[in-house]
Amino acid sequence: MGGGYEEYAFIADLYDHVTLYRDRPDVQFYVEAATAAGGPVLEVGCGTGRVLIPTARAGVDIVGLDLSPHMLAVCRQRLKEEPEAVRGRVHLVEADMRDFDLGSRCTLATIPFRPFQHLITVENQLSCLASIRRHLVDEGVLILDLFNPSLDFLVNRPVGEELDEEPPFTTPDGRQVIRRQKTVAIDRFQQVGHYELIYYVSHPDGRQERLVQAFSLRYVFRFEAEHLLARAGFTLEHVYADYEKNPYGSKYPGELLMIARQSRT
Ligand SMILES: C[S@@+](CC[C@H](N)C(=O)[O-])C[C@H]1O[C@@H](n2cnc3c(N)ncnc32)[C@H](O)[C@@H]1O
């Protein structure tokens, strides 16, 4: 259910080395939002700490929630390299974003890099938003980070083919990795894409491995997201097309980055 992250340790092991993830231009945006909110921040689907650790380094208290013990283990390992002051600002929780109770509140909740799209049903989407809302202070802010569904991608993306679109990368222990992407199927009625990320790993001793992360993502259109947020008790403040805060519509497809405030009850 959670994108394979909780089942397969290899995903967490390779995650921080994937060029597309390393180069993702969102970290500064999240660090600035966290600093402006002043903390504490809740990061839902924090993974290996790609965003969480820079946030803690910037002096903000942050709770990281993730379903995958493997992703959290990598995050803990990375935190060991950090000064005690940084480690002291971080609290990690293994929990399901669909329903959680941390017994604390935050001024800002974030879901960086699309974990919300692992939720396939409206029921799950709403229960996740309700859980987040319970953890926000009055007027607290949610940053919901989605991809903007590209109609060209949905219609024309080859199905069943492994596409070689990413630069290869090398892990610190010398494994050379080529990652290919495959669209297995797109269900245009359920708005769900079924995908595989296929890692071809060449070990320094010559051994070869083929590892597959199979996962499904629900695509969500702009006004659908607005309605979901309204149903869940949020007031939309901004919709951005990217992490430089260019307005939605200024590029296509761009991101679907929604900034919403918890409405007072
Ligand atoms: C693409 S990664 C993003 C990680 C991190 N936010 C980042 O920006 O690098 C998606 C993360 O969502 C987590 N996830 C997926 N489903 C989840 C669920 N139901 N509850 C909590 N975390 C979940 C996965 O374990 C994974 O760490």
Side-chain angles (χ1 to χ4, degrees):
M1 125 99 248
Y5 293 93
E6 75 282 22
E7 292 162 64
Y8 304 113
F10 78 83
I11 304 169
D13 176 33
L14 295 173
Y15 188 91
D16 287 331
H17 311 295
V18 174
T19 314
L20 277 185
Y21 302 162
R22 292 185 79 103
D23 293 349
R24 213 176 144 67
D26 58 354
V27 176
Q28 195 187 341
F29 166 86
Y30 281 108
V31 171
E32 280 172 13
T35 310
V41 171
L42 167 62
E43 185 184 333
V44 175
C46 65
T48 60
R50 193 182 62 84
V51 171
L52 173 136
I53 292 173
T55 305
R57 280 186 196 141
V60 181
D61 288 335
I62 183 161
V63 175
L65 177 149
D66 204 283
L67 187 59
S68 163
H70 307 298
M71 297 293 270
L72 290 172
V74 172
C75 189
R76 281 195 190 93
Q77 197 59 37
R78 288 181 60 184
L79 280 167
K80 283 187 188 157
E81 313 286 312
E82 295 292 324
E84 198 176 333
V86 173
R87 279 185 273 134
R89 290 184 202 113
V90 176
H91 180 55
L92 297 179
V93 182
E94 187 181 321
D96 192 325
M97 68 171 132
R98 290 174 293 177
D99 185 18
F100 57 92
D101 185 3
L102 307 175
S104 60
R105 290 196 169 210
C106 58
T107 56
L108 172 70
T110 64
I111 323 183
F113 201 9
R114 309 161 179 171
F116 189 76
Q117 303 196 262
H118 291 297
L119 305 179
I120 301 301
T121 65
V122 172
E123 188 190 4
N124 285 344
Q125 291 171 330
L126 287 173
S127 68
C128 172
L129 292 174
S131 287
I132 290 172
R133 190 167 180 275
R134 281 199 301 274
H135 289 80
L136 279 169
V137 298
D138 282 348
E139 302 288 310
V141 170
L142 165 64
I143 303 180
L144 183 61
D145 184 340
L146 309 167
F147 64 81
N148 192 34
S150 153
L151 293 179
D152 179 53
F153 182 101
L154 292 174
V155 174
N156 296 324
R157 181 86 167 163
V159 169
E161 276 179 41
E162 285 186 23
L163 301 178
D164 204 353
E165 298 169 322
E166 297 184 32
F169 60 91
T170 306
T171 60
D173 61 5
R175 286 170 286 168
Q176 292 182 332
V177 185
I178 292 171
R179 193 172 84 153
R180 301 206 171 110
Q181 303 188 6
K182 178 160 128 184
T183 300
V184 176
I186 296 203
D187 183 333
R188 293 185 189 144
F189 294 96
Q190 297 302 320
Q191 293 184 202
V192 176
H194 303 285
Y195 306 101
E196 285 178 5
L197 291 171
I198 304 137
Y199 295 80
Y200 290 90
V201 184
S202 305
H203 291 261
D205 63 6
R207 194 161 50 90
Q208 305 284 325
E209 258 183 312
R210 181 180 185 276
L211 303 167
V212 180
Q213 175 184 5
F215 61 102
S216 301
L217 294 177
R218 171 87 188 249
Y219 53 94
V220 179
F221 289 96
R222 182 252 174 103
F223 290 108
E224 179 186 5
E226 285 201 29
H227 288 302
L228 272 176
L229 287 168
R231 279 181 80 185
F234 289 90
T235 304
L236 188 62
E237 296 204 330
H238 303 284
V239 188
Y240 297 128
D242 59 27
Y243 302 99
E244 283 160 17
K245 303 188 185 176
N246 286 307
Y248 181 83
S250 58
K251 60 174 75 164
Y252 190 82
E255 306 292 332
L256 178 50
L257 189 57
M258 314 200 77
I259 318 297
R261 201 171 284 276
Q262 187 206 214
S263 314
R264 281 184 198 275
T265 43

